[in-house]
Amino acid sequence: MSSELKSKAVSGIIWTSFERFGAYLIQLIISIILARILSPEDFGIIGMTVIFMLIANTLLDSGFGNALIQNKNRNETDYSTAFYFNLAVGIILYILLYISSPYIADFYNTQLLTPVCRALGLSLIFNSLTIAQTAKLTVEFKFKELSIITIITQFITGIIGIILAYLDYGVWALVFQNVGSSILRTILIEYYTKWYPSKPFSKESFYKMFGFGSKLLCSSIINTIYNNLYTLIIGKIYSPREVGYYAQGDKFAVLPSNIFLSVIMKVAYPLMAEVQDNTEKLRTSYKKILRTPIFILYPVLTLIIIYAEPIIILLIGEKWLPSVPILQILCLGTFFDPLTHINLNILYVKGRTDLVLKLEVVKKTIAFIILFSMIPLGLWWLCAGRAIYGFIAYSINCHYTKKIIDFSFWEQMKYNLPIILKSLLMGMISILSTVYIETYITKIIIGFIVGLFSYYAIAKIGRA
């Protein structure tokens, strides 16, 4: 890796870490405050819309953002073509969502969803205006600007959301956070990029990007439907309250994984794209990237599983207590999220989105079988099935990693096993240190301090 690439990587990781940790910290604090003010039903109503909004946003991008980053020969015509396409798709999607909102409300038997969906859909138009610019900032390694945009957006819209919640606007406080965030991000992206499409729409450029992005789009849609089918099923079979419990448990479970993974992957993708033609360099970079997030993530997830109940009660209150077992089982599933995504990233940088699509079809066939098998067993078993699928998805993704860079499933397990064992040992030490402590806050403080210090000591001894 050249010194220039190393410098870009270090700067990117620093600023992306600042962005992700800062944004998630702000988001966590705001979510805690809102969860104490609003009801599970308010969060449940937003949760019912998630699957539709995420599918729409996936269609909105259509893989063009990743296509711009992956293509080392990108030019101004490519950026302009992507911008025009994304904007057209954004407008069409909003019209479709506006028309279909009453049917979504009827499906859930919750009429409030009609105006909520129509309001949330406005974010699609604003999001469409930032895809090309975000890709441009990413390939230019301008992570400082992206960090500032994210932090400002989260903070301002979060504060106003809290004010609206205190003023008893209920679910509309959450709606504003989503729409307001899209509007403010669009304004800030424009301020920092000063970029406008300067070339006409190019069919040649469109087909080139669509050839890469279409397969990525299909795999993303399949993945998005599966990941959010749980809220749809829970909302249909149970009620908005249960959707709220699931949404909060899921939010806390994926938060650590999302933080560490987004930091690594946001920098790793353009960085690995630079060495995509050198298999040995790609393999070396991959192994370094693989170890970093799990070394930090595994002990954190272990501690969250152990102290799930006091964490939920202290942060968002006893009314969210049913989220505890959901949080614990979903945390187990997120153990494999970094491994799954990093393995899949090899195919992205190699431009093999056809293999990405093939893997998603195979994995989601298995996933849907597990999902529908668990429905009769109840909510906890639905979540358990999702955790089981996490391991299956990781093991399947390793198939092409073995072929492309000669790093198989068993080699990866052997490579990561020491971290898993150290995390388990740390967990046992932490449990023993708090076995006679009854106060929740004291239990968390002592448990986390002892756990993290013991993990550090175990890691140091393991290297000796």
Side-chain angles (χ1 to χ4, degrees):
M1 189 183 295
S2 68
S3 59
E4 183 183 359
L5 276 179
K6 285 183 179 179
S7 177
K8 287 181 177 179
V10 171
S11 176
I13 288 175
I14 290 173
W15 279 108
T16 304
S17 298
F18 171 74
E19 174 194 353
R20 296 306 180 183
F21 281 97
Y24 278 117
L25 179 60
I26 293 170
Q27 184 182 29
L28 178 61
I29 293 172
I30 290 171
S31 295
I32 290 170
I33 296 172
L34 288 173
R36 287 186 168 274
I37 302 172
L38 302 175
S39 68
E41 288 84 354
D42 292 328
F43 283 91
I45 288 171
I46 295 297
M48 290 173 174
T49 69
V50 167
I51 186 170
F52 305 103
M53 292 303 300
L54 286 178
I55 291 174
N57 276 293
T58 302
L59 290 167
L60 185 65
D61 179 270
S62 296
F64 277 44
N66 278 319
L68 287 169
I69 297 171
Q70 191 273 339
N71 181 15
K72 294 197 290 186
N73 299 314
R74 68 192 79 85
N75 54 43
E76 191 63 25
T77 299
D78 294 326
Y79 284 113
S80 297
T81 300
F83 178 87
Y84 296 134
F85 172 75
N86 293 142
L87 177 58
V89 173
I91 294 171
I92 292 170
L93 286 173
Y94 178 69
I95 294 171
L96 291 175
L97 184 63
Y98 188 94
I99 295 171
S100 61
S101 292
Y103 302 102
I104 296 174
D106 289 340
F107 175 80
Y108 285 116
N109 196 28
T110 305
Q111 295 309 308
L112 182 58
L113 281 170
T114 298
V116 166
C117 285
R118 287 174 173 174
L120 286 172
L122 292 170
S123 65
L124 296 173
I125 297 176
F126 291 99
N127 289 342
S128 71
L129 299 172
T130 63
I131 295 171
Q133 293 95 315
T134 301
K136 189 173 182 64
L137 290 172
T138 301
V139 299
E140 293 173 357
F141 283 82
K142 292 185 177 180
F143 295 107
K144 176 182 177 180
E145 289 80 359
L146 288 169
S147 301
I148 294 172
I149 290 168
T150 301
I151 295 297
I152 293 176
T153 299
Q154 291 281 353
F155 181 77
I156 293 178
T157 57
I159 292 299
I160 299 178
I162 291 172
I163 293 173
L164 290 176
Y166 268 115
L167 294 175
D168 204 25
Y169 277 84
V171 70
W172 293 103
L174 301 174
V175 171
F176 175 84
Q177 272 196 293
N178 284 271
V179 180
S181 178
S182 298
I183 296 172
L184 183 56
R185 180 177 176 81
T186 302
I187 295 170
L188 292 174
I189 285 277
E190 176 56 33
Y191 173 78
Y192 278 101
T193 61
K194 303 292 192 299
W195 181 88
Y196 301 95
S198 59
K199 300 290 183 180
F201 183 89
S202 167
K203 288 184 179 180
E204 181 183 351
S205 178
F206 170 79
Y207 288 126
K208 179 177 63 177
M209 288 187 285
F210 191 73
F212 176 93
S214 59
K215 302 177 187 68
L216 187 59
L217 169 64
C218 292
S219 62
S220 296
I221 289 177
I222 294 171
N223 198 44
T224 300
I225 291 174
Y226 169 74
N227 288 337
N228 296 277
L229 192 59
Y230 286 85
T231 55
L232 188 148
I233 291 174
I234 294 168
K236 182 64 176 176
I237 296 177
Y238 302 105
S239 69
R241 178 176 290 271
E242 276 68 29
V243 175
Y245 293 142
Y246 172 81
Q248 288 294 342
D250 182 54
K251 181 188 299 182
F252 283 103
V254 302
L255 184 63
S257 178
N258 283 348
I259 292 175
F260 294 116
L261 191 59
S262 60
V263 169
I264 297 298
M265 297 306 294
K266 190 169 185 178
V267 178
Y269 183 46
L271 188 67
M272 292 173 72
E274 292 291 326
V275 296
Q276 60 183 281
D277 300 323
N278 189 318
T279 302
E280 186 57 37
K281 285 185 178 180
L282 186 58
R283 186 174 190 271
T284 302
S285 299
Y286 171 80
K287 291 182 72 173
K288 290 179 180 178
I289 292 167
L290 183 69
R291 177 63 64 88
T292 304
I294 66 171
F295 180 80
I296 303 172
L297 180 62
Y298 280 15
V300 173
L301 286 175
T302 301
L303 291 171
I304 292 176
I305 292 171
I306 295 171
Y307 301 106
E309 182 173 327
I311 287 173
I312 289 293
I313 291 177
L314 285 175
L315 291 182
I316 56 179
E318 291 191 7
K319 66 181 178 181
W320 293 100
L321 201 56
S323 296
V324 170
I326 296 173
L327 168 60
Q328 290 172 321
I329 193 63
L330 290 180
C331 273
L332 285 175
T334 58
F335 266 78
F336 304 103
D337 283 356
L339 304 175
T340 300
H341 285 86
I342 295 172
N343 273 272
L344 207 58
N345 204 49
I346 292 291
L347 299 180
Y348 291 156
V349 299
K350 282 291 188 179
R352 296 303 306 271
T353 52
D354 57 322
L355 299 181
V356 174
L357 177 57
K358 184 184 294 185
L359 282 175
E360 286 305 318
V361 171
V362 172
K363 289 185 299 183
K364 292 310 180 287
T365 300
I366 298 172
F368 286 125
I369 292 172
I370 295 174
L371 170 61
F372 289 107
S373 298
M374 296 296 180
I375 289 176
L377 302 178
L379 181 56
W380 187 89
W381 281 101
L382 275 175
C383 299
R386 178 175 155 184
I388 293 168
Y389 167 72
F391 175 75
I392 295 173
Y394 160 57
S395 60
I396 293 175
N397 277 2
C398 290
H399 174 72
Y400 286 113
T401 308
K402 164 67 176 174
K403 286 190 173 184
I404 294 174
I405 62 171
D406 194 28
F407 197 36
S408 68
F409 169 80
W410 293 112
E411 288 176 303
Q412 291 186 42
M413 290 300 290
K414 183 179 179 181
Y415 186 68
N416 296 319
L417 185 60
I419 297 177
I420 297 173
L421 295 176
K422 290 170 187 175
S423 298
L424 291 175
L425 180 57
M426 176 274 297
M428 289 188 285
I429 294 173
S430 180
I431 290 173
L432 290 174
S433 71
T434 60
V435 68
Y436 295 113
I437 298 176
E438 295 184 1
T439 307
Y440 281 154
I441 190 167
T442 306
K443 185 184 285 284
I444 291 176
I445 293 173
I446 298 298
F448 270 73
I449 291 176
V450 171
L452 294 177
F453 269 101
S454 63
Y455 181 74
Y456 175 78
I458 294 166
K460 292 290 286 185
I461 293 171
R463 291 173 187 166

